[in-house]
């Protein structure tokens, strides 16, 4: 993407206030180690900056080509991948997921109780593709002390070394749903399920599907479920803020699990990549599914994805459950 504040219709001197703000409020007090920022408009970059450090322990400054763990920004990529298969006629949004994952036909919904005395009932309707694409399936991440989340924790549901998407969705089939599918919203493992559906419907492992149908067409050359040996020098360290607001190293790039290609391709949070790569993905979305001569997704499909799919056109304030309800 060409750098041109003028063609982006920005005042470059005013955009430079972003640098001043981030350095004063985040970099200098070490609220974060560093960051990379881009502002684009009309297909042109109006501002870009690499600030602070990508690795404090090794005194490595942030680079323009730093590779980050993009975590949940994997989710939009997975959703686009599944909707590509929708465009091929491989499913309808209201199809039950148990068409692809037969064990999901026996799912139950939490009513009450706790521990070994959970009261469960049959759902009013089965989980559909629309539900897993919009976090309305009744799944969870298992983060709280709610009886359903405690069941998640007790099950030891595995996305780590040796796990597969196929085994993962089978584990989920044995856990209770928080609510009848389609009635509420809860941030969850749903997009990892979407990743399994991509594999099952396409016949390709998720990493290979992404590469062939999204990364290669868009030129996202640094986005992957692992970091190649020749790119480790560009891989950022990962920090967490302690209660006293100091930074704690939680994933050293020299020994990170991301250096080994995984068996579990997390469509909900497993990718690494660069800012410039993700900007290419965002630009494709802005251009209604096309970049250059490459059509990634249909414009009408993308417009449908932008619509409100909550029941009766509701909002998250009234329908969302959990800490990640995004309503503040």
């Amino acid at each position: 993407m060409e750098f041109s504040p003028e063609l982006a219709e920005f005042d470059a001197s005013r955009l430079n206030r972003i640098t001043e703000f981030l350095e004063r409020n985040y970099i200098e007090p070490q609220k974060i180690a560093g960051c990379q920022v881009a502002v684009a408009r009309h297909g042109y970059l109006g501002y870009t900056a690499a600030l602070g450090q990508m690795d404090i322990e090794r005194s490595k400054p942030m680079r323009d080509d730093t590779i980050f763990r993009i975590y949940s920004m994997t989710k939009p990529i997975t959703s686009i991948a599944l909707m590509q298969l929708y465009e091929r006629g491989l499913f309808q949004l209201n199809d039950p997921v148990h068409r692809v994952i037969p064990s999901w036909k026996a799912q139950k919904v939490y009513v009450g109780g706790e521990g070994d005395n959970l009261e469960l009932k049959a759902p009013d309707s089965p989980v559909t593709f629309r539900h897993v694409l919009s976090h309305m399936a009744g799944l969870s991440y298992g983060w709280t002390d709610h009886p359903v989340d405690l069941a998640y924790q007790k099950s030891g549901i595995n996305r780590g070394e040796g796990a597969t998407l196929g085994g993962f969705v089978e584990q989920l089939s044995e856990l209770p749903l928080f609510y009848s599918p389609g009635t509420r919203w809860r941030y969850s493992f749903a997009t990892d399920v979407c990743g399994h559906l991509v594999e099952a419907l396409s016949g390709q492992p998720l990493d290979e599907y992404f590469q062939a149908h999204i990364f290669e067409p868009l030129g996202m050359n640094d986005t992957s479920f692992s970091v190649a040996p020749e790119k480790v020098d560009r891989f950022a360290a990962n920090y967490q803020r302690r209660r006293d607001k100091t930074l704690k190293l939680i994933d050293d790039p020299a020994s990170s699990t991301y250096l080994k290609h995984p068996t579990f391709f997390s469509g909900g949070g497993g990718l690494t990549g660069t800012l410039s790569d993700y900007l290419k993905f965002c630009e494709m979305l802005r251009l209604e599914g096309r970049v250059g001569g490459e059509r990634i997704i249909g414009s009408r499909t993308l417009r449908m994805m932008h619509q409100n799919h909550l029941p009766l056109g509701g909002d998250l304030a009234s329908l969302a459950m959990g800490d990640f309800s995004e309503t503040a």
Side-chain angles (χ1 to χ4, degrees):
M1 186 176 286
E2 180 184 347
F3 181 80
S4 177
E6 296 77 20
L7 292 174
E9 298 181 6
F10 282 122
D11 182 328
S13 64
R14 292 171 69 86
L15 284 181
N16 285 333
R17 295 174 183 174
I18 297 172
T19 302
E20 299 167 8
F21 174 82
L22 291 172
E23 287 184 338
R24 180 179 66 251
N25 293 287
Y26 291 92
I27 305 296
E28 291 173 8
Q30 282 208 325
K31 288 184 178 179
I32 59 174
C35 62
Q36 193 180 353
V37 188
V39 179
R41 194 185 200 187
H42 308 317
Y44 297 96
L45 272 172
Y47 169 90
T48 183
L51 307 173
Q53 295 181 298
M54 60 179 279
D55 189 329
I56 295 173
E57 284 71 25
R58 296 174 179 86
S59 300
K60 293 173 67 173
M62 188 66 67
R63 298 168 45 155
D64 290 337
D65 61 354
T66 295
I67 295 173
F68 300 92
R69 303 149 193 79
I70 69 172
Y71 290 121
S72 282
M73 295 314 297
T74 304
K75 287 182 170 72
I77 295 173
T78 304
S79 297
I80 288 290
L82 187 53
M83 291 304 289
Q84 287 178 328
L85 300 176
Y86 164 84
E87 291 187 327
R88 286 169 50 185
L90 296 181
F91 68 92
Q92 295 297 314
L93 288 177
N94 292 330
D95 284 350
V97 168
H98 66 64
R99 206 196 86 197
V100 180
I101 314 172
S103 61
W104 279 38
K105 198 167 187 177
Q107 285 177 315
K108 302 292 184 182
V109 177
Y110 174 78
V111 176
E114 58 185 39
D116 295 331
N117 299 309
L118 294 181
E119 183 183 349
L120 307 175
K121 69 171 186 175
D124 296 332
S125 60
V127 174
T128 67
F129 282 78
R130 187 191 305 273
H131 296 151
V132 292
L133 279 159
S134 56
H135 289 292
M136 292 195 294
L139 302 175
S140 180
Y141 263 126
W143 289 336
T144 74
D145 58 1
H146 186 280
V148 173
D149 278 345
L150 293 177
Y152 272 70
Q153 295 164 29
K154 184 179 179 180
S155 75
I157 194 161
N158 182 23
R159 297 191 296 167
E161 181 70 26
T164 64
L165 282 166
F168 169 77
V169 297
E170 291 302 317
Q171 282 186 289
L172 281 181
S173 72
E174 300 171 1
L175 293 169
L177 301 174
F178 254 90
Y179 48 79
S180 280
T183 61
R184 301 291 298 272
W185 185 97
R186 187 178 183 89
Y187 196 55
S188 68
F189 283 130
T191 315
D192 282 317
V193 177
C194 290
H196 169 73
L197 295 173
V198 171
E199 290 194 336
L201 292 171
S202 70
Q204 288 182 279
L206 192 62
D207 61 335
E208 293 180 12
Y209 185 93
F210 279 176
Q211 185 63 36
H213 298 278
I214 298 177
F215 300 158
E216 193 171 314
L218 290 177
M220 296 172 66
N221 300 322
D222 287 320
T223 304
S224 174
F225 284 104
S226 59
V227 178
E230 66 273 16
K231 298 180 180 181
V232 172
D233 189 55
R234 295 160 49 200
F235 190 31
N238 190 16
Y239 299 94
Q240 182 182 66
R241 292 189 73 194
R242 298 185 179 96
R243 290 187 180 275
D244 65 1
K245 300 186 179 181
T246 59
L247 296 177
K248 173 187 177 183
L249 178 69
I250 60 171
D251 191 32
D252 189 316
S255 57
S256 173
T257 56
Y258 286 95
L259 303 185
K260 181 180 179 181
H261 207 56
T263 58
F264 185 93
F265 303 117
S266 173
L271 287 172
T272 63
T274 60
L275 182 145
S276 61
D277 269 10
Y278 210 84
L279 192 57
K280 293 173 184 175
F281 179 76
C282 293
E283 182 69 357
M284 175 274 293
L285 298 179
R286 187 186 73 84
L287 294 173
E288 297 190 320
R290 181 191 292 274
V291 172
E294 295 288 347
R295 167 67 68 184
I296 303 299
I297 193 83
S299 59
R300 285 179 291 184
T301 301
L302 202 56
R303 284 195 292 274
M304 179 176 64
M305 293 174 74
H306 290 166
Q307 294 173 5
N308 183 1
H309 292 267
L310 294 171
L312 302 177
D315 59 22
L316 290 178
S318 59
L319 292 167
M321 298 175 67
D323 293 339
F324 275 71
S325 60
E326 308 289 349
T327 57

